[in-house]
Amino acid sequence: MQELGYKPNALARNLRRQQTSSIGMIVPDSANPFFAEVARGIEDTSFGQNHSVILCNTDGDVDKQAAHTDLLIKNQVAGILFVAAGISTELVNDLQRRRVPLVVVDREVPGVAVDTVLTNHLQGGCMATQHLVDLGHRRIACVSGGSDLSPSAERLTGYQQKLAQSGIPYDETLVVKGDFQYESGYEAARQLLALADPPTAVFACNDLMAVGVISAATQLGLRVPDDLSVVGFDDVRLASFTNPPLTTIAQPKYDIGVLATEMLLARVRNLDAPPRVERLDTKLVVRGSTAVRNEP
Amino acid sequence: MQELGYKPNALARNLRRQQTSSIGMIVPDSANPFFAEVARGIEDTSFGQNHSVILCNTDGDVDKQAAHTDLLIKNQVAGILFVAAGISTELVNDLQRRRVPLVVVDREVPGVAVDTVLTNHLQGGCMATQHLVDLGHRRIACVSGGSDLSPSAERLTGYQQKLAQSGIPYDETLVVKGDFQYESGYEAARQLLALADPPTAVFACNDLMAVGVISAATQLGLRVPDDLSVVGFDDVRLASFTNPPLTTIAQPKYDIGVLATEMLLARVRNLDAPPRVERLDTKLVVRGSTAVRNEP
DNA sequence: GTGAAAGCGCTAACAC
DNA sequence: GTGTTAGCGCTTTCAC
């Protein structure tokens, strides 16, 4: 009968049913390999459950985020996934008041009870630093991210904790702030290595910056890991293929996306269930960019 | 009046107007940096024109592509962007018969008149090879991609043309097929470098594979570029930060996304305009991974 | 079981 | 100008 190309109109169906099968995914930058991996997890499981995902990039811009959110709710999305976007307490409150299902990923929203999936960044920061300490390093630098972002702040805290536990005095000239891009790791390393008493190791708060650090160090004639140990964070695909291969803290990027999507869909089914927060473990992956400290 | 949170229901609006402001974007893998950059161009300009983009990954799987396309047209998307997905002539014909606006990106669909935006891959392949020839190399390998993909095939053709023009005999043991991922570049290099008469230079058909090649070469104790020159393709952000920095063929990834979106939106406005095909130029970017051939 | 009818929230067309 | 109305294509309910 309708073998001549009939496709039901989902618009009419959705209008009638008062719900769509689209979910909004809001990320700072889908071209960043970390978010890209999380996004794959989201898209794959959404597709598996017959849902479409609408991609929104904010570049960390609050206005853009507001505009995207607005567009999403006008389009009656079934729910929204905030992946480490600049979500604020007010926005989340507003959304909850409107009863739009949402889960926030890779970031904490202070003072709100909301579904959340995040990584144990503190643990990761500790492991990275401990690894460096174990290798005999005492001048350990940290290239952090924006301090207003909870993942970044927690990683830095882990670094500070382990330093303290190891009896290494905290030297604030050794922590420089980056923005999670290659370039900022590169710049940070140049600054750090120009110090009178430069570090022998650096913990970069993500892999991209770690790659930037290695790049800068190499250009300055230093050998990694002989002259400088570097550890990253995320364990992006690339990390296995840098030169040298990157020692890093792995987090389950794809699975974060999968879990977040499942939580969102569960929330859609039951808006009044108690909020759930999942915190996933990290893992140290030792590759070639770290080595025992060279005695000068 | 409606300062108490009224948002128009776009569903109803769209149902009535018989058109939505969503566009479907179908890519093989949004986590691949090349597609990720193109996707950013698409998402940004869509957002700028008040359109939402629905993200669909196919992983090169024809069934997944069909399922995604189906879902998109059920959702009455305004149009579809195929970014180098496995689109076939029949699919495109079917879509055109249904009068759904579409533009295909980074790939040619043989025998169909359809809006297309692509890069001059042939030119790029020529430039990469010529660069290597100019540096004195004569044993130049090529790590290609799937031969069924037009970008890949054209780059390879460029390589072969320049070899012929330079009087270098074509040695098919020097071309090995990859899949555009890091790993396959790595494997290809191991195979190539184990040859009795190994290459002194390799042209990898994308940057990811080039990074894999450098990784393998370095592990085998070769120095890049002294012992082996490597050129990539795409000029991904990473290319500036590899060790050594990667010489590569740049293509305007972001702009491809922008242009494709503009063409799609124009097509939505006028379904019956003559099809348009845009072919963008590439550019050689010389960095540190290529050097004059070392006389043994 | 099969069939008719109302209505989701909006817009365009038409009347006033 | 301002106000009313029909109908987009589907689902759900209710009558048969």
Side-chain angles (χ1 to χ4, degrees), chain A residues 135-170:
Chain A
L135 290 169
H137 294 279
R138 293 187 59 87
R139 281 202 66 75
I140 302 173
C142 179
V143 183
S144 70
S147 50
D148 50 324
L149 307 166
S150 70
S152 178
E154 290 173 25
R155 292 172 200 178
L156 183 60
T157 303
Y159 160 82
Q160 292 165 328
Q161 279 186 10
K162 277 300 164 190
L163 244 41
Q165 283 177 26
S166 310
I168 300 174
Y170 179 64

Coordinates of all heavy atoms in Angstrom, one line a residue, chain A residues 135-170:
Chain A
L135 N 58.7 9.2 40.7 CA 59.8 9.2 39.8 C 61.0 10.1 40.3 O 62.0 10.2 39.6 CB 59.4 9.6 38.4 CG 58.5 8.6 37.6 CD1 57.9 9.3 36.4 CD2 59.3 7.4 37.3
G136 N 60.8 10.7 41.4 CA 61.9 11.5 42.0 C 61.8 13.0 41.7 O 62.7 13.8 42.1
H137 N 60.8 13.4 41.1 CA 60.6 14.8 40.7 C 60.2 15.6 42.0 O 59.4 15.1 42.8 CB 59.6 15.1 39.6 CG 60.1 14.5 38.3 ND1 61.0 15.1 37.5 CD2 59.8 13.3 37.7 CE1 61.3 14.3 36.4 NE2 60.6 13.2 36.5
R138 N 60.8 16.8 42.1 CA 60.3 17.7 43.2 C 59.9 19.1 42.7 O 59.1 19.8 43.2 CB 61.4 17.8 44.2 CG 61.7 16.5 45.0 CD 62.6 16.6 46.1 NE 62.2 17.6 47.1 CZ 61.4 17.3 48.2 NH1 60.9 16.0 48.3 NH2 61.1 18.2 49.0
R139 N 60.5 19.5 41.5 CA 60.0 20.7 40.9 C 59.0 20.3 39.8 O 59.4 20.1 38.7 CB 61.2 21.5 40.4 CG 61.8 22.3 41.5 CD 62.6 23.5 41.1 NE 61.9 24.6 40.5 CZ 61.2 25.5 41.2 NH1 61.0 25.4 42.5 NH2 60.6 26.6 40.6
I140 N 57.8 20.3 40.2 CA 56.7 19.8 39.4 C 55.8 21.0 39.1 O 55.2 21.5 40.0 CB 55.9 18.7 40.0 CG1 56.9 17.5 40.4 CG2 54.8 18.2 39.1 CD1 56.2 16.4 41.2
A141 N 55.6 21.3 37.8 CA 54.8 22.4 37.4 C 53.4 21.9 37.1 O 53.2 20.7 36.9 CB 55.3 23.1 36.2
C142 N 52.4 22.8 37.0 CA 51.1 22.4 36.6 C 50.5 23.4 35.7 O 50.5 24.6 35.9 CB 50.2 22.3 37.9 SG 48.5 21.9 37.5
V143 N 50.1 22.9 34.5 CA 49.4 23.8 33.6 C 47.9 23.5 33.8 O 47.4 22.5 33.4 CB 49.8 23.5 32.1 CG1 49.1 24.5 31.2 CG2 51.3 23.6 32.0
S144 N 47.2 24.5 34.4 CA 45.8 24.2 34.8 C 44.9 24.8 33.7 O 45.3 25.3 32.7 CB 45.5 24.9 36.1 OG 45.6 26.3 36.0
G145 N 43.6 24.7 34.0 CA 42.6 25.4 33.1 C 41.9 26.5 33.9 O 42.4 26.9 34.9
G146 N 40.9 27.0 33.4 CA 40.2 28.1 34.1 C 39.8 27.6 35.5 O 39.2 26.6 35.6
S147 N 40.0 28.4 36.5 CA 39.8 28.0 37.9 C 38.3 28.0 38.2 O 37.9 27.5 39.2 CB 40.5 28.9 38.8 OG 40.2 30.3 38.5
D148 N 37.5 28.6 37.3 CA 36.0 28.6 37.6 C 35.4 27.3 37.1 O 34.2 27.0 37.4 CB 35.4 29.8 36.8 CG 35.8 29.8 35.4 OD1 37.0 29.4 35.1 OD2 35.0 30.1 34.5
L149 N 36.2 26.5 36.4 CA 35.6 25.2 36.0 C 35.9 24.1 37.0 O 37.1 23.9 37.4 CB 36.2 24.8 34.6 CG 36.1 25.9 33.6 CD1 37.0 25.6 32.4 CD2 34.7 26.0 33.1
S150 N 34.9 23.4 37.5 CA 35.2 22.5 38.5 C 36.2 21.3 38.2 O 37.0 21.0 39.0 CB 33.9 21.9 39.1 OG 33.3 21.0 38.2
P151 N 36.2 20.8 37.0 CA 37.1 19.7 36.7 C 38.6 20.3 36.8 O 39.4 19.6 37.4 CB 36.9 19.4 35.2 CG 35.5 19.9 34.9 CD 35.3 21.1 35.8
S152 N 38.8 21.4 36.3 CA 40.1 22.0 36.3 C 40.5 22.3 37.8 O 41.6 22.0 38.2 CB 40.0 23.3 35.5 OG 41.3 24.0 35.6
A153 N 39.6 22.9 38.5 CA 40.0 23.2 39.9 C 40.3 21.9 40.7 O 41.2 21.9 41.5 CB 38.8 23.9 40.5
E154 N 39.5 20.9 40.5 CA 39.8 19.6 41.2 C 41.1 19.0 40.9 O 41.8 18.4 41.7 CB 38.6 18.7 41.0 CG 37.3 19.1 41.7 CD 36.1 18.2 41.3 OE1 36.4 17.0 40.9 OE2 35.0 18.7 41.3
R155 N 41.4 19.1 39.6 CA 42.7 18.5 39.2 C 43.9 19.2 39.9 O 44.8 18.6 40.4 CB 42.9 18.5 37.7 CG 41.9 17.6 37.0 CD 41.9 17.8 35.5 NE 40.7 17.2 34.9 CZ 40.3 17.2 33.6 NH1 41.2 17.8 32.7 NH2 39.2 16.7 33.2
L156 N 43.7 20.5 39.9 CA 44.7 21.3 40.6 C 44.8 21.0 42.1 O 45.9 20.9 42.7 CB 44.4 22.8 40.4 CG 45.4 23.8 40.9 CD1 46.7 23.6 40.3 CD2 44.9 25.3 40.7
T157 N 43.6 20.8 42.7 CA 43.6 20.5 44.1 C 44.3 19.2 44.4 O 45.1 19.0 45.3 CB 42.2 20.4 44.6 OG1 41.5 21.6 44.3 CG2 42.1 20.1 46.1
G158 N 44.1 18.2 43.5 CA 44.8 16.9 43.6 C 46.3 17.1 43.6 O 47.1 16.5 44.3
Y159 N 46.7 18.0 42.7 CA 48.2 18.3 42.5 C 48.7 18.9 43.8 O 49.7 18.5 44.3 CB 48.3 19.3 41.3 CG 49.6 20.1 41.3 CD1 50.7 19.6 40.7 CD2 49.5 21.4 41.7 CE1 51.9 20.4 40.6 CE2 50.7 22.2 41.6 CZ 51.8 21.7 41.1 OH 53.0 22.5 40.9
Q160 N 48.0 19.8 44.3 CA 48.4 20.5 45.6 C 48.5 19.6 46.7 O 49.4 19.5 47.5 CB 47.5 21.7 45.9 CG 47.7 22.8 44.8 CD 46.5 23.9 44.9 OE1 45.4 23.5 45.2 NE2 46.9 25.1 44.5
Q161 N 47.4 18.7 46.8 CA 47.4 17.7 47.9 C 48.6 16.8 47.9 O 49.2 16.6 49.0 CB 46.1 16.9 47.8 CG 44.9 17.6 48.4 CD 43.7 16.6 48.4 OE1 43.8 15.4 48.1 NE2 42.5 17.2 48.6
K162 N 48.9 16.3 46.8 CA 50.0 15.3 46.7 C 51.3 16.0 47.0 O 52.2 15.4 47.6 CB 50.0 14.6 45.4 CG 49.0 13.5 45.3 CD 49.4 12.4 46.3 CE 48.2 11.4 46.5 NZ 48.4 10.5 47.6
L163 N 51.4 17.2 46.5 CA 52.7 17.9 46.8 C 52.8 18.1 48.3 O 53.9 17.8 48.8 CB 52.5 19.3 46.2 CG 53.5 19.7 45.0 CD1 53.7 18.6 44.1 CD2 53.0 21.0 44.3
A164 N 51.8 18.5 48.9 CA 51.8 18.7 50.4 C 52.1 17.4 51.1 O 53.0 17.3 52.0 CB 50.5 19.2 50.9
Q165 N 51.5 16.3 50.7 CA 51.7 15.0 51.3 C 53.1 14.5 51.1 O 53.6 13.7 51.9 CB 50.8 14.0 50.7 CG 49.3 14.0 51.3 CD 48.5 13.0 50.6 OE1 48.9 12.0 50.1 NE2 47.2 13.3 50.5
S166 N 53.8 15.0 50.1 CA 55.1 14.6 49.8 C 56.2 15.5 50.3 O 57.3 15.4 50.1 CB 55.3 14.4 48.3 OG 54.3 13.7 47.7
G167 N 55.7 16.5 51.1 CA 56.6 17.4 51.7 C 57.3 18.4 50.7 O 58.3 18.9 51.0
I168 N 56.6 18.6 49.6 CA 57.2 19.5 48.6 C 56.5 20.8 48.8 O 55.3 20.9 48.7 CB 57.0 19.0 47.2 CG1 57.7 17.6 47.0 CG2 57.5 20.0 46.2 CD1 57.4 16.9 45.7
P169 N 57.3 21.9 49.0 CA 56.6 23.2 49.2 C 55.9 23.7 47.9 O 56.4 23.4 46.8 CB 57.8 24.1 49.5 CG 59.0 23.4 49.0 CD 58.7 21.9 49.1
Y170 N 54.8 24.3 48.1 CA 54.0 24.8 47.0 C 54.6 26.1 46.4 O 54.8 27.1 47.2 CB 52.6 25.0 47.4 CG 51.7 25.5 46.3 CD1 51.4 24.7 45.2 CD2 51.0 26.8 46.4 CE1 50.6 25.2 44.2 CE2 50.2 27.2 45.4 CZ 50.0 26.4 44.3 OH 49.1 26.8 43.3

